[in-house]
Amino acid sequence: MSVIRNAELVPAPARRSFATLFSNVSRWRVPLSILALCILPWVLPSQALAVNVLIYGLVAVGYNLLFGYTGLLSFGHAAFFGAGAYATGIAIGAFGVHWFIAMLIGVLISGLLATVMGVLAIRTRGIYFSMVTLALAQLVYYAALQASSWTGGENGLRGFTVSTLHLPGFSVNFLDPLVKYYAIMIVVAAALWFVSRVLNSPFGAVIEAIRENETRARACGYDVERTKLLSFILSGILCGLAGTLSAMHLSIVPLDSLHYHTSGLIVMMTLLGGAGSFFGPFIGALAFLSMEDIFSLWTSNWQLIVGVIFILFVLYLPKGIWGTLITWGKSR
Amino acid sequence: MTNGIEKLALRPIGRRAALFGLAGVAGTLSMPWIARAQAETIRIGFPTPLTGPFAAEANDQVRSAQLAVKLANDKGGIAGRKVELLVRDDKLNAGEAATRTLELIEKDKVHAVVGALSSAVQLAVNEVTRARSMLYISISQSDTINEIKDFSPYTFHEALNPTMTTAVVAKHSFKKGSKVAYLVADYAYGHEMLRGFKRAAKEIGAQTVSEILHPFGAADYSTFIPTILSSGADILCICNFGRDQANSIKQAVDFGVKDQMKIVVPVLLHNQRLAVDPEVFEGVTGGANYYWGLEETVPSAKAFNDAFRAMYKGTIPTDYGAYGYTGVASLLMAIEKAGGTEPQKVIAALEALKYDIAKGEQSYRKCDHQSMQSVLVLESKAKSAMKSDADLFKIVAAEPASESVLRTCSELGFKS
């Protein structure tokens, strides 16, 4: 972002066209992202995959707020994703709550959980922060495993299928894959706009300042702890929202959604796409899930191919797919 | 040249030409549909964990299922239609399985789903198929899927369930006054098997002296074994699956458990026995849905084995592999009887079906759609008693299909 603004100040003729293009892309990033999402189900092999890209894309974007922009490497974001999913599922299945209220409950619960985990984890830094978030997320995992009368334990949560979305005035068939995709896309688009708004606000500038130089941000008079906590909570809420969408999409909540593998997956997607860029994590989710989907159809050794590609990315494109594209565009 | 194009473009389209044109377009568009209605391939989705700790069993299931499809196609298809099997890797992950099943239904437009190899995964597939009125034959052990909360009129459970497996195994290995120690994998499969064994033990009059949970996928069992040895048990019942079974039995034998007590498992796995030396498993008793040695007494088992040997260069089908065959073959029989893939008709046909395709008489119980079938009790042979490399087990008993080993319909929550 800041570099793009600098480019605008230096009107070297050769740079101008690319710089203008990039500043335009950046200014219109939310409408452009939504446009890209609109055509997604038509270019991907299946709608179920497209919905997964939406959901994991949102998780990665939410996670990126903390990792890419604030510079905090959390290994426990599966807890928020899973908590959102479980809360929504339980609200619908056990209490018969309307789906919209259930989604709000899911977001609220994950927000609360993020507050608690955030307060405990923010005190530490570096690798200790990662370890504390991982440990706290494991606590949530085992709590869900033990409370099997509520969560279904090992078998996962079932029995809350939403087949029709009742809205004031009309209702839509949520089992239709395209309807489902666009319904979920509306929520994801709203969340993307929200993230973009947050990043463009003074708050967005402060979290980047903390990432770049925490001491200097503190010296400038910013309350670093509170800003970090707020960023942690926002990130948790976005992951929780993705969790509630995942529950609505799959109509089950697998126990694996709380597992640290899921946390690792989120980190990998973010890195693959490009941490610290607005749309990068979404590209990461898209690339990762498509690779998995397509290669696993060809061969049962698909993990080998995905692994090699991942190694190549880490070696040659450490900024991720989108991050590399942006750097390349700017250097022109 | 341009003049000509302009002329052509400007020429008014007559009413008759327009009608002919429309009819032509409509005809072309509808033609594939007519052709499709006549002989649309019957597509069967098959999600199974090709990667992960149950990969060996999953690959056997796929091979058996492909055999069932090949046999159907060789005799000219089912109701004049070809059959196709669409195998997908569910990675032993419930969320992944739900996504794959959605893809199979929405994109590949399958007519039925068969598969899944874990309690959690099959319940996820069950949930997706239930909401979309899709036929599903589940082929992995689970008690939960029989219960009314997860019941789907479209789902049939072809595999054994823990209750019936443990009831039969306990009947042939526990005695009144037996002291039993349990070593249980700490997840749904282990818990359900433990519950079944304790239920059976109570009826027989055996007592529990020790109950130890181990984590799923554990490599080291040495910490549990001293407790088992000091419990004074005369039977050690090990309730785990896949690689865990071979690992835990091997270590128990190394510590001399077999000198003091008999080892009993709910399901004696062909592939796990092959993974270690015969001395390790010698004398271990357990249940099974299928064993190839059944061919000496059951004609359908002989036919199944022969067809399998012919297709796969003389190899033999395994226990969990056989589920792939019986699941797909029974479904195809029902589709043939129903004259098509219309779900309600196939359900009626499956409920009425009496089939003997690999292991003797089988039929689906009406209330919970559980397959009533024979349960085998096997004992692992000593190396000296083995006639060939594949001659692994002695069939101690073949308990015929019976409702008495199942929980009653009212116990499961159904109105009788």
Side-chain angles (χ1 to χ4, degrees):
Chain A
M1 279 294 300
S2 57
V3 187
I4 293 169
R5 282 186 206 120
N6 287 343
E8 278 168 7
L9 294 175
V10 188
R15 271 190 197 172
R16 182 170 276 163
S17 57
F18 269 101
T20 336
L21 180 70
F22 261 85
S23 97
N24 278 338
V25 166
S26 140
R27 188 169 303 143
W28 295 97
R29 60 187 179 187
V30 174
L32 284 174
S33 309
I34 293 170
L35 197 69
L37 295 187
C38 279
I39 55 169
L40 205 56
W42 306 98
V43 291
L44 285 180
S46 79
Q47 280 104 3
L49 174 65
V51 176
N52 271 356
V53 170
L54 279 183
I55 290 168
Y56 281 97
L58 179 59
V59 174
V61 166
Y63 177 72
N64 192 34
L65 193 65
L66 188 69
F67 174 55
Y69 285 95
T70 321
L72 294 172
L73 174 60
S74 156
F75 268 123
H77 265 52
F80 312 126
F81 180 69
Y86 271 111
T88 306
I90 291 170
I92 298 174
F95 300 104
V97 175
H98 185 266
W99 63 269
F100 188 73
I101 312 285
M103 281 181 69
L104 287 183
I105 293 174
V107 172
L108 201 71
I109 296 281
S110 54
L112 281 176
L113 185 66
T115 314
V116 174
M117 274 176 66
V119 166
L120 293 170
I122 290 298
R123 303 149 178 244
T124 55
R125 52 179 69 213
I127 188 76
Y128 305 103
F129 176 80
S130 308
M131 290 297 115
V132 169
T133 47
L134 175 64
L136 291 171
Q138 284 302 93
L139 277 180
V140 177
Y141 175 86
Y142 283 102
L145 181 63
Q146 294 302 324
S148 56
S149 55
W150 285 101
T151 59
E154 173 75 30
N155 281 333
L157 186 65
R158 309 159 321 270
F160 61 92
T161 304
V162 180
S163 43
T164 321
L165 289 189
H166 294 288
L167 293 153
F170 69 109
S171 51
V172 293
N173 176 13
F174 199 58
L175 291 184
D176 183 287
L178 271 181
V179 170
K180 189 203 269 176
Y181 178 85
Y182 285 110
I184 290 178
M185 196 200 81
I186 291 171
V187 181
V188 173
L192 279 180
W193 172 82
F194 173 75
V195 174
S196 174
R197 187 72 196 79
V198 166
L199 289 177
N200 278 342
S201 70
F203 173 78
V206 176
I207 54 172
E208 282 193 72
I210 291 174
R211 179 192 66 194
E212 293 305 323
N213 193 330
E214 194 179 317
T215 324
R216 185 178 280 183
R218 203 187 300 275
C220 289
Y222 292 111
D223 188 338
V224 170
E225 269 67 39
R226 252 180 55 198
T227 315
K228 275 187 184 172
L229 180 61
L230 197 55
S231 164
F232 193 91
I233 294 170
L234 279 179
S235 163
I237 284 178
L238 287 164
C239 288
L241 177 65
T244 68
L245 292 175
S246 150
M248 303 270 290
H249 166 47
L250 294 179
S251 64
I252 53 150
V253 183
L255 185 63
D256 305 285
S257 62
L258 285 170
H259 200 269
Y260 65 83
H261 283 168
T262 311
S263 298
L265 197 68
I266 300 172
V267 180
M268 274 196 349
M269 284 173 179
T270 312
L271 284 173
L272 187 65
S277 61
F278 175 71
F279 202 57
F282 229 105
I283 301 285
L286 173 70
F288 189 89
L289 293 173
S290 314
M291 280 196 301
E292 209 180 53
D293 192 275
I294 295 165
F295 295 143
S296 73
L297 266 187
W298 289 350
T299 161
S300 59
N301 299 322
W302 57 271
Q303 284 160 318
L304 195 70
I305 307 176
V306 175
V308 168
I309 292 179
F310 204 78
I311 292 171
L312 290 178
F313 266 103
V314 172
L315 284 179
Y316 299 108
L317 302 174
K319 285 181 178 165
I321 302 170
W322 197 244
T324 309
L325 273 177
I326 289 181
T327 323
W328 177 80
K330 272 186 231 154
S331 67
R332 284 306 189 93
Chain B
M1 183 68 197
T2 40
N3 203 10
I5 290 172
E6 260 169 31
K7 251 191 200 161
L8 201 68
L10 289 174
R11 201 177 66 182
I13 298 167
R15 188 172 50 95
R16 197 172 290 172
L19 277 176
F20 272 126
L22 275 179
V25 169
T28 329
L29 283 178
S30 62
M31 228 150 63
W33 293 101
I34 296 167
R36 216 172 141 180
Q38 274 168 354
E40 196 194 13
T41 308
I42 297 171
R43 286 179 298 275
I44 299 173
F46 200 85
T48 190
L50 295 173
T51 49
F54 302 162
E57 279 78 19
N59 280 303
D60 283 344
Q61 288 192 335
V62 172
R63 297 204 300 164
S64 295
Q66 275 162 345
L67 173 66
V69 168
K70 183 180 172 279
L71 291 180
N73 283 333
D74 283 353
K75 62 165 190 165
I78 299 294
R81 294 160 68 177
K82 286 268 167 222
V83 185
E84 190 188 355
L85 191 74
L86 298 119
V87 180
R88 297 289 182 272
D89 184 8
D90 68 29
K91 296 155 202 167
L92 203 63
N93 175 311
E96 194 67 37
T99 306
R100 295 289 154 254
T101 311
L102 281 172
E103 280 183 357
L104 285 167
I105 296 171
E106 291 166 359
K107 187 183 105 199
D108 301 312
K109 308 261 184 273
V110 294
H111 298 100
V113 177
V114 181
L117 218 173
S118 113
S119 183
V121 173
Q122 65 181 308
L123 288 166
V125 176
N126 182 48
E127 199 64 36
V128 171
T129 49
R130 170 160 75 171
R132 286 161 185 80
S133 309
M134 172 65 53
L135 286 165
Y136 173 44
I137 312 279
S138 84
I139 52 171
S140 164
Q141 292 226 14
S142 170
D143 268 337
T144 316
I145 204 160
N146 291 137
E147 287 160 18
I148 192 156
K149 201 168 150 273
D150 283 288
F151 176 75
S152 152
Y154 300 91
T155 297
F156 289 79
H157 191 235
E158 164 61 28
L160 301 173
N161 66 30
T163 308
M164 67 199 283
T165 311
T166 52
V168 174
V169 173
K171 184 179 159 189
H172 291 278
S173 49
F174 291 10
K175 286 180 203 70
K176 195 173 162 56
S178 292
K179 294 194 189 106
V180 189
Y182 296 95
L183 178 62
V184 180
D186 193 4
Y187 73 108
Y189 177 89
H191 295 235
E192 287 190 355
M193 289 298 180
L194 174 66
R195 193 180 61 191
F197 270 123
K198 286 171 85 174
R199 182 187 145 105
K202 205 172 147 195
E203 257 172 52
I204 295 167
Q207 77 180 96
T208 306
V209 291
S210 175
E211 209 178 294
I212 301 163
L213 295 175
H214 77 74
F216 170 58
D220 181 15
Y221 296 84
S222 57
T223 49
F224 308 120
I225 292 166
T227 325
I228 294 166
L229 285 171
S230 61
S231 67
D234 45 32
I235 293 171
L236 169 61
C237 188
I238 301 181
C239 304
N240 54 19
F241 188 82
R243 285 204 289 255
D244 289 0
Q245 183 174 74
N247 285 342
S248 55
I249 292 180
K250 189 168 186 307
Q251 290 179 33
V253 171
D254 286 348
F255 275 81
V257 165
K258 259 202 306 210
D259 304 334
Q260 289 186 28
M261 53 192 94
K262 187 176 170 55
I263 298 179
V264 173
V265 296
V267 178
L268 195 52
L269 292 165
H270 192 114
N271 285 327
Q272 299 312 321
R273 158 60 191 81
L274 282 180
V276 291
D277 295 331
E279 289 82 16
V280 173
F281 266 66
E282 186 184 335
V284 173
T285 307
N289 59 306
Y290 186 76
Y291 174 58
W292 70 276
L294 214 55
E295 67 181 12
E296 282 165 23
T297 48
V298 181
S300 57
K302 174 104 178 86
F304 171 43
N305 287 342
D306 288 345
F308 196 94
R309 284 188 191 108
M311 186 166 171
Y312 297 110
K313 296 180 191 122
T315 54
I316 40 142
T318 63
D319 37 30
Y320 264 70
Y323 283 139
Y325 181 77
T326 51
V328 172
S330 65
L331 173 70
L332 290 177
M333 274 173 88
I335 290 176
E336 186 145 51
K337 285 225 165 72
T341 47
E342 209 279 304
Q344 294 304 333
K345 284 188 192 153
V346 181
I347 290 173
L350 277 166
E351 281 177 349
L353 199 66
K354 296 258 179 288
Y355 56 107
D356 176 1
I357 42 188
K359 52 180 289 193
E361 276 288 315
Q362 283 181 263
S363 63
Y364 287 106
R365 182 159 76 167
K366 188 137 194 220
C367 71
D368 61 350
H369 288 174
Q370 168 64 39
S371 173
M372 294 191 287
Q373 55 188 301
S374 59
V375 183
L376 309 181
V377 180
L378 306 175
E379 192 182 289
S380 200
K381 285 187 175 176
K383 196 173 183 189
S384 53
M386 283 168 61
K387 289 191 206 91
S388 70
D389 283 347
D391 184 21
L392 307 177
F393 306 126
K394 183 177 95 187
I395 300 177
V396 177
E399 194 79 11
S402 143
E403 219 182 321
S404 64
V405 290
L406 294 170
R407 287 181 291 175
T408 61
C409 291
S410 56
E411 222 176 316
L412 295 166
F414 295 96
K415 278 185 225 123
S416 46

